Amino acid sequence: MVTVEPGGLERDDVRALLSEHLTEMFATSPAESVHALDLDALRHEAISFWTAREDGRLLGCGALKDLGSGHGEIKSMRTTALARGRGVATTLLDHLVRNARERGFTRLSLETGTEPYFAPARRLYVRHGFEPCEPFADYVPDPHSVFLTRAI
């Protein structure tokens, strides 16, 4: 059974997954269009971080950033290669939405890429009610970024 647990940034397997995430983001998008967070940024007080595990094995991670005024941002959604296609991303996304709702957020948004590499992520979010929107928070229009949002 997949469980979602808070924290985990100190664990080696999580650090490796986040390092892989950053490496792939920079390999896929121009540097100025990469908005993935590193370990230090994920420790910010406005960010909550979770991992998905099965029998102790890391399957994925995700974070929720409080943007203020009831608005949250999904960050650092990533699954391991072995977990892909097993519903782990949906489990994490459902957890983030539930947590955001419990914290009184009324809207969740995110930024992802336009390249074909990001197509599975875009399909996941659209399947869960996210719709295209204008850049939010500190983002600016970028031909390499897609901005999505949904009320919760």
Side-chain angles (χ1 to χ4, degrees):
M1 182 171 98
V2 176
T3 59
V4 179
E5 308 165 352
L9 290 171
E10 71 287 347
R11 295 180 71 161
D12 290 340
D13 56 356
V14 173
R15 289 173 183 249
L17 182 60
L18 291 170
S19 177
E20 173 187 287
H21 181 61
L22 282 170
T23 298
E24 288 189 10
M25 296 305 98
F26 281 103
T28 308
S29 300
E32 65 274 9
S33 297
V34 173
H35 304 288
L37 301 178
D38 63 19
L39 278 169
D40 287 337
L42 285 167
R43 288 188 179 100
H44 190 277
E45 63 186 20
I47 298 176
S48 301
F49 183 83
W50 292 270
T51 57
R53 295 184 179 275
E54 184 176 55
D55 298 324
R57 185 183 52 209
L58 180 65
L59 299 177
C61 63
L64 182 61
K65 181 177 182 180
D66 186 345
L67 299 174
S69 301
H71 193 184
E73 180 181 4
I74 293 173
K75 298 295 293 180
S76 301
M77 279 282 289
R78 179 74 175 195
T79 56
T80 64
L82 293 175
R84 294 194 185 122
R86 296 186 45 206
V88 174
T90 294
T91 297
L92 278 163
L93 182 58
D94 288 346
H95 180 83
L96 295 174
V97 170
R98 235 182 356 268
N99 187 276
R101 193 177 287 129
E102 289 168 2
R103 291 167 63 178
F105 291 9
T106 56
R107 175 157 305 282
L108 273 180
S109 301
L110 63 101
E111 180 275 339
T112 190
T114 59
E115 293 82 4
Y117 172 87
F118 298 101
R122 291 191 306 268
R123 284 193 301 272
L124 169 75
Y125 295 122
V126 168
R127 216 172 33 246
H128 289 272
F130 286 82
E131 299 177 343
C133 67
E134 294 299 313
F136 58 92
D138 295 331
Y139 292 105
V140 296
D142 181 344
H144 299 283
S145 289
V146 172
F147 303 97
L148 301 171
T149 195
R150 73 168 266 199
I152 58 169

